[in-house]
Amino acid sequence: MRSLFLPLLLLLPAAAVHACGTHDQHEQEWSPEQLAELERKWGFEWGFSGIGSFAHLKHVKCLTTPGELFDIGIIGVPFDTATSYRPGARFGPRAIRQASSRQTSFRGFNPRANINPYQNWATIIDCGDIPISPMDNAVALAQMTAAFAELGHRGTASPLLRKPKLITLGGDHSLALPALRALKKVYGKPLRVLHFDAHLDTWHPEKYPSAWPSDQSHFNHGSMFWLAGNEGLLANASAGPSVHAGLRTRLSGDGWDDFDDDTRQNWVRLSADDIDDIGTSGIVKAILDSFATPSGKGEEAAAPVYLSVDIDVLDPAFAPGTGTPEPGGWTTRELIRILRGIESLDIVGADVVEVAPAYQGAGEETALAAAQVVYEILSSMVKKGMQDMARTVCPGERHDEL
């Protein structure tokens, strides 16, 4: 037995030396020019290639990489255990990212905004997903709140922003509550909400009758704005109302009590049917008029705006892949046109939620609509940053960061 092993033992040092020598031969210092040439040759990705980050953006696990600076972060929230009807939105972030694959920086110019949001002043990255428990909604709520707060307090890559902006890929709509909790801490003040949805989502939790009540059951995708109002996260009572747009929900009971509750919380309601009478431009005007700073209160009265887009604001013909579809909604084109009209708002955070790909067709129409909505929001955020810079730059002052 010893004689069999001896030749092998004798060969080990030589093999080790040979392996090290081979490794050393391939070590070299790469110059910037050489790296640029590698990028030129191999860096391009077609829409159907590459890893599935949003719009082929750089992917970083931002929650575990605190040194990575960004101006706008795409963050996935694969959570759907606060839904009241069809689950499945936990797969929404993945579906939206895949549907965004034809969005690329080399062909990302937005003609209506006159910018390419991916080739401008803002560093935009895909921050991955928040790892959320599907077993315990109390833990999930704490995880989401902590993650949004952590990312919201990060530094920015550009001096144009004090705080980074997050666009959340949902997930069910309940994630708006932890987002608002975090943003109030980040900005030190309550926020106003622009809410595109078929449903109110300001329902008192008792509107969901149960003989088995619990405090945790109050956290769901139809009551999160009611909870946010009670927690003082909304500026409805101070800076002015928040706005629902695209409503066509059925109400509780046999009267208008749900609308009365909503009015007491100082929300403005724009129904889906309003678009037939006033058109997209009328919807835009109604939104902007509602968000105008109240006369005489000064700039200090202005509150940051959180934009929340439930994909079920679209008619099921255009977005069947959602948990609570309601016939009679807007077209994708109408929603996009409205989003293009509100770019002047100071949007500090946004979400696109309730994409449940199991219910959509093979053509991915729901996820495609959601990915386009994200692109429009990104374009508006980047363009707003450019406009703000133009107002603050002194004549002749250089801003080389652009």
Side-chain angles (χ1 to χ4, degrees):
M1 182 68 72
R2 182 178 179 184
S3 62
L4 291 174
F5 280 107
L6 185 58
L8 294 176
L9 292 172
L10 292 173
L11 288 173
L12 279 177
V17 170
H18 178 71
C20 291
T22 302
H23 178 70
D24 290 341
Q25 290 171 6
H26 286 83
E27 286 185 351
Q28 70 176 81
E29 293 292 331
W30 293 88
S31 69
E33 292 76 18
Q34 289 173 315
L35 292 174
E37 177 62 13
L38 291 176
E39 179 65 25
R40 187 188 70 81
K41 288 167 54 178
W42 309 113
F44 175 81
E45 290 182 353
W46 292 99
F48 52 80
S49 63
I51 303 301
S53 67
F54 188 89
H56 299 265
L57 292 168
K58 177 182 178 181
H59 170 237
V60 179
K61 288 188 175 182
C62 295
L63 288 168
T64 58
T65 317
E68 186 75 30
L69 298 180
F70 60 91
D71 300 305
I72 303 174
I74 310 294
I75 184 74
V77 179
F79 174 77
D80 66 0
T81 52
T83 55
S84 59
Y85 189 44
R86 303 193 304 198
R90 69 181 62 183
F91 298 106
R94 182 182 299 173
I96 297 170
R97 286 185 173 107
Q98 292 299 325
S100 75
S101 61
R102 289 191 67 245
Q103 296 185 36
T104 57
S105 61
F106 85 93
R107 188 168 288 165
F109 183 77
N110 191 330
R112 68 92 184 164
N114 196 33
I115 59 169
N116 182 337
Y118 302 120
Q119 293 182 354
N120 211 278
W121 64 267
T123 297
I124 309 172
I125 63 175
D126 189 326
C127 285
D129 289 347
I130 303 172
I132 303 167
S133 170
M135 311 296 183
D136 187 324
N137 279 8
V139 171
L141 178 56
Q143 289 174 319
M144 289 185 279
T145 305
F148 285 131
E150 167 67 24
L151 296 176
H153 281 101
R154 294 277 174 88
T156 58
S158 169
L160 288 181
L161 294 179
R162 293 189 303 110
K163 303 290 183 182
K165 299 176 186 285
L166 297 177
I167 301 179
T168 306
L169 311 179
D172 75 50
H173 212 157
S174 64
L175 64 85
L177 177 63
L180 289 168
R181 285 178 174 175
L183 286 170
K184 185 186 178 185
K185 294 179 181 178
V186 170
Y187 288 92
K189 63 170 72 174
L191 287 83
R192 297 171 74 180
V193 174
L194 174 54
H195 174 219
F196 289 93
D197 203 321
H199 310 94
L200 287 170
D201 292 350
T202 55
W203 278 296
H204 191 293
E206 292 180 2
K207 294 296 178 72
Y208 296 90
S210 174
W212 305 88
S214 74
D215 290 338
Q216 188 54 54
S217 68
H218 292 179
F219 171 61
N220 60 71
H221 74 160
S223 294
M224 69 284 177
F225 290 133
W226 182 87
L227 293 171
N230 283 349
E231 293 181 16
L233 307 180
L234 305 182
N236 296 15
S238 55
S242 290
V243 177
H244 305 292
L247 296 174
R248 57 192 186 278
T249 184
R250 289 171 291 278
L251 303 181
S252 307
D254 60 356
W256 302 92
D257 292 350
D258 289 343
F259 279 0
D260 294 338
D261 289 345
D262 189 70
T263 298
R264 280 191 289 270
Q265 297 174 60
N266 201 21
W267 286 80
V268 170
R269 293 182 297 279
L270 302 173
S271 75
D273 293 343
D274 288 337
I275 205 167
D276 298 328
D277 299 323
I278 61 177
T280 55
S281 59
I283 298 293
V284 169
K285 183 178 185 303
I287 291 171
L288 295 180
D289 286 349
S290 297
F291 280 98
T293 302
S295 177
K297 291 190 176 181
E299 285 297 320
E300 68 276 3
V305 177
Y306 183 77
L307 173 60
S308 189
V309 181
D310 188 324
I311 206 65
D312 72 24
V313 72
L314 300 178
D315 190 90
F318 302 93
T322 190
T324 51
E326 301 285 358
W330 290 341
T331 68
T332 309
R333 179 178 57 80
E334 288 168 338
L335 175 61
I336 291 170
R337 184 67 179 270
I338 294 166
L339 289 172
R340 291 173 176 176
I342 60 166
E343 63 186 16
S344 61
L345 294 178
D346 181 22
I347 297 172
V348 298
D351 64 50
V352 182
V353 297
E354 299 287 352
V355 173
Y359 311 111
Q360 70 180 1
E364 304 176 282
E365 59 280 287
T366 309
L368 283 168
Q372 182 68 25
V373 167
V374 174
Y375 171 69
E376 298 295 342
I377 296 171
L378 278 172
S379 297
S380 294
M381 285 181 170
V382 174
K383 186 174 181 179
K384 181 70 163 59
M386 295 174 66
Q387 293 169 341
D388 290 345
M389 182 200 68
R391 285 193 292 267
T392 57
V393 172
C394 297
E397 184 179 350
R398 290 185 58 193
H399 274 250
D400 294 333
E401 66 269 13
L402 292 181

